[in-house]
Amino acid sequence: MPQFEQIDTFVGQIFWLIVTFGVLYFLMAKVALPRLASILEERENRVSGDLEKAERLKQEAEEVLTDYQKAIADARASAVAALKESADEIAATSAKRQAAFDAQLSEKVQIAEDKINAARSEAMGHIKNVAKDVAAAATSKLLDTDVTDAKLSKAVDEALGEQN
Amino acid sequence: MPEPEDRSSLTDLDKRLRAARERQNQGTKPESSNRADAASGMAVGFRISVEIVAALIMGFGIGYYLDQLLGTKPWLMIIFFFLGIGAAFANVVRVAKQLENKKRFRENHEDRAE
Amino acid sequence: MASGSIDPMHQFEVTTLLPIQLGNYDISFTNSALFMSLSVLLVTIFLVGSTRGRALVPGRWQSMAEMSYEMVANLLRDNVGSAGRQYFPFVFTLFMFILFGNVIGLVPGTFTFTSHIVVTFAMAIIIFLAVTVIGFVRHGAGFLRLFFPHGAPLWTAVILIPIELVSYLSRPISLSVRLFANMVVGHVLLKVIAGFVIMLGVFGFIPLGVLVGITALEFLVAALQAYVFTILTCIYLHDAIHLH
């Protein structure tokens, strides 16, 4: 086995091992590893930066959504309030008008009733006179006696009262 | 009045963000050596036999050297040969413990770094 | 060897390419030194070339470079903890150097410097000494507690301390022999089977299938052994920093 026979190459192999390993160590420690470390760190920062940004944007979107919903709710509440107010107003106005109308109507009815009453009592007066005249004429013609005016009125009043 | 529908898309975004964050945190600590383990049965066997042989050689070698130095010919060689056997046992136990540690380490995935 | 013209050991021979003499020492530039340099060159091209763009979204090569970085970083963190951070460049260099040495050696006609015990042993002994020094620097004489299991009865020290000492001293041997033996066995196996392929001529397709399978396995072994060498270095570092 050359590994145990070529003893004279041992020093040379160890020498070159140390030299080449030393060179590689230097290159790794000074160039390759710092570069790799910075690349990985940069990526790490970038990725977490992006994630943070996305999370912040999400937060903002959520806030906007909350605001929007609040605005909607507010608008709805104020619309309901406005609606109620106008409904109340309408109700009040129509009630007032109704009341005015009622008043007017009852006044007219009153006037009409008064007129009717007046006409009736006038008519009654006329009927009484006529009845008196008829009764006077009838008694004078049939009985040939004159009845006093007072008696006549009394009898007519009684007859009319019975009718009423 | 229609209910706003985009609540669901926001929660979806939230879920995805959380997953990405988790992936990133996982990414800093990936499973280090599963692949090497797959074919390492042979390596473990070889490793243990090498540990035994190395301990025996070392014990025997020290005994031999001390005998030469002190002129106590076979005695230290014999004593150290037995110590070498003991050392071989110690080595094997140590390998077994390391493998056990590694397995446990992988199972509960806790950093034992101080 | 029995296979006539093909000597499976021939591939391990060190040949001088450029004779250099330094004092009494022969430090000729050999094929071993050539492939060590090639390994350095390729690792550097791989890692520096692929990261030239510093792309935020990495291409294939850059993401491979990042993967190797993160793999070794995780290995170190899992096995040593945060205190091992300062040794990361060394551990990473070690891993890449051995990995490329192993893999380049699988190309037919090349030389595998990790199949030489003197190379693997030199690496192992340097690690061993460095780890021992780190242990003593961090813990002073307290580092010697490593040789006595915590909580064991005191009288067992007489026997346990020598055993632990021998065990500790056997580390560079096991570390170097493992890599060396794996590389040698794999390459001899490949060479012998390749010899069969040539010997059998037309019927060579039978061992050719085996050859392809074993080559695939050897690539896995090449990576695995680089990994094992690195993880053991990490475990030794852990012992030196945390004691047991």
Side-chain angles (χ1 to χ4, degrees):
Chain A
M1 248 178 143
Q3 288 94 325
F4 297 110
E5 288 156 9
Q6 295 182 303
I7 293 168
D8 53 328
T9 66
F10 279 13
V11 173
Q13 289 197 62
I14 293 171
F15 172 80
W16 285 106
L17 170 69
I18 292 168
V19 169
T20 52
F21 193 90
V23 169
L24 186 62
Y25 180 84
F26 179 80
L27 287 170
M28 293 298 105
K30 296 286 171 231
V31 184
L33 294 180
R35 189 186 286 182
L36 273 166
S38 78
I39 289 172
L40 291 173
E41 196 179 344
E42 203 176 303
R43 177 171 319 138
E44 179 81 5
N45 290 343
R46 176 67 173 272
V47 168
S48 58
D50 281 357
L51 271 177
E52 255 158 44
K53 201 166 146 194
E55 269 163 2
R56 211 181 48 238
L57 285 176
K58 199 212 85 186
Q59 194 90 34
E60 268 169 34
E62 246 166 21
E63 269 160 29
V64 167
L65 181 62
T66 319
D67 285 355
Y68 167 74
Q69 280 172 336
K70 194 171 169 295
I72 293 263
D74 285 355
R76 201 180 295 171
S78 70
V80 166
L83 211 63
K84 190 173 180 307
E85 198 180 321
S86 59
D88 285 353
E89 204 175 318
I90 288 166
T93 338
S94 73
K96 212 158 69 187
R97 257 192 225 153
Q98 185 76 40
F101 181 69
D102 279 354
Q104 213 177 347
L105 202 64
S106 60
E107 195 182 345
K108 274 185 182 160
V109 167
Q110 193 61 49
I111 290 166
E113 265 176 6
D114 287 352
K115 267 186 187 160
I116 288 168
N117 280 342
R120 187 166 165 223
S121 45
E122 197 182 294
M124 275 300 205
H126 285 307
I127 284 173
K128 217 166 148 179
N129 287 339
V130 169
K132 232 160 61 185
D133 288 345
V134 168
T139 46
S140 68
K141 275 230 174 109
L142 292 174
L143 303 177
D144 209 20
T145 49
D146 281 336
V147 186
T148 58
D149 201 51
K151 249 186 181 169
L152 265 177
S153 304
K154 200 182 164 216
V156 168
D157 276 347
E158 265 167 17
L160 280 175
E162 262 163 32
Q163 264 177 359
N164 279 349
Chain B
M1 256 170 264
E3 194 63 28
E5 290 285 322
D6 24 15
R7 205 25 122 178
S8 66
S9 85
L10 259 183
T11 47
D12 183 48
L13 177 66
D14 191 44
K15 229 181 282 169
R16 273 164 54 201
L17 268 176
R18 208 160 296 165
R21 181 64 93 185
E22 223 156 82
R23 230 176 304 127
Q24 196 211 12
N25 291 340
Q26 291 272 307
T28 29
K29 205 200 270 183
E31 72 280 29
S32 42
S33 53
N34 280 341
R35 227 167 322 130
D37 258 23
S40 70
M42 206 174 79
V44 167
F46 194 79
R47 188 176 159 195
I48 287 174
S49 44
V50 168
E51 294 288 354
I52 292 170
V53 170
L56 294 181
I57 291 174
M58 204 62 220
F60 191 79
I62 292 172
Y64 185 81
Y65 176 76
L66 288 179
D67 269 342
Q68 297 281 31
L69 204 71
L70 305 171
T72 48
K73 206 61 188 195
W75 300 110
L76 289 178
M77 211 162 80
I78 292 167
I79 291 171
F80 271 91
F81 182 71
F82 281 105
L83 289 176
I85 293 174
F89 269 109
N91 283 354
V92 171
V93 168
R94 196 162 295 134
V95 172
K97 219 181 274 173
Q98 276 158 14
L99 293 174
E100 189 64 27
N101 272 349
K102 208 163 135 195
K103 218 171 95 188
R104 224 187 10 237
F105 175 81
R106 193 156 306 153
E107 271 161 12
N108 53 26
H109 220 279
E110 265 172 9
D111 206 338
R112 73 168 175 183
E114 283 154 34
Chain C
M1 274 268 157
S3 55
S5 59
I6 295 156
D7 176 6
M9 289 300 156
H10 177 71
Q11 57 179 325
F12 300 123
E13 217 153 87
V14 177
T15 52
T16 299
L17 303 174
L18 181 70
I20 303 172
Q21 191 78 21
L22 189 78
N24 286 329
Y25 299 109
D26 173 20
I27 53 160
S28 301
F29 194 77
T30 58
N31 52 352
S32 167
L34 175 68
F35 280 97
M36 288 176 189
S37 311
L38 196 63
S39 178
V40 169
L41 191 69
L42 290 182
V43 170
T44 308
I45 290 174
F46 167 49
L47 291 176
V48 176
S50 68
T51 54
R52 185 167 299 274
R54 293 171 153 277
L56 213 57
V57 179
R60 193 192 309 165
W61 290 101
Q62 187 183 327
S63 89
M64 269 163 75
E66 285 170 9
M67 255 168 60
S68 49
Y69 177 97
E70 288 190 322
M71 201 212 82
V72 178
N74 285 330
L75 199 66
L76 194 65
R77 197 189 49 215
D78 292 354
N79 286 289
V80 188
S82 50
R85 189 89 204 120
Q86 53 180 311
Y87 308 113
F88 177 62
F90 177 81
V91 174
F92 185 78
T93 308
L94 188 72
F95 175 71
M96 296 309 277
F97 188 64
I98 296 173
L99 178 68
F100 273 63
N102 291 353
V103 171
I104 294 168
L106 284 172
V107 178
T110 58
F111 179 88
T112 318
F113 60 84
T114 47
S115 68
H116 273 253
I117 184 74
V118 64
V119 172
T120 60
F121 192 70
M123 290 194 287
I125 206 86
I126 289 168
I127 291 163
F128 175 78
L129 291 176
V131 162
T132 308
V133 167
I134 289 168
F136 275 113
V137 166
R138 279 189 174 255
H139 303 286
F143 182 58
L144 293 173
R145 272 191 312 233
L146 189 65
F147 299 111
F148 190 64
H150 196 68
L154 207 61
W155 62 268
T156 56
V158 187
I159 187 121
L160 283 181
I161 288 175
I163 283 179
E164 287 295 328
L165 197 63
V166 171
S167 165
Y168 188 75
L169 292 175
S170 74
R171 279 174 172 187
I173 298 179
S174 63
L175 192 58
S176 57
V177 167
R178 185 178 306 108
L179 179 57
F180 157 74
N182 266 291
M183 289 301 112
V184 169
V185 167
H187 281 81
V188 170
L189 201 63
L190 285 177
K191 204 56 139 190
V192 168
I193 293 170
F196 283 154
V197 175
I198 294 164
M199 242 167 51
L200 290 176
V202 187
F203 300 102
F205 66 87
I206 300 163
L208 187 63
V210 178
L211 187 67
V212 170
I214 293 195
T215 306
L217 185 71
E218 284 307 317
F219 271 103
L220 205 63
V221 169
L224 199 60
Q225 287 306 319
Y227 176 79
V228 168
F229 202 97
T230 312
I231 203 173
L232 284 172
T233 303
C234 289
I235 287 169
Y236 296 161
L237 263 175
H238 172 262
D239 285 353
I241 291 170
H242 303 290
L243 293 181
H244 66 74

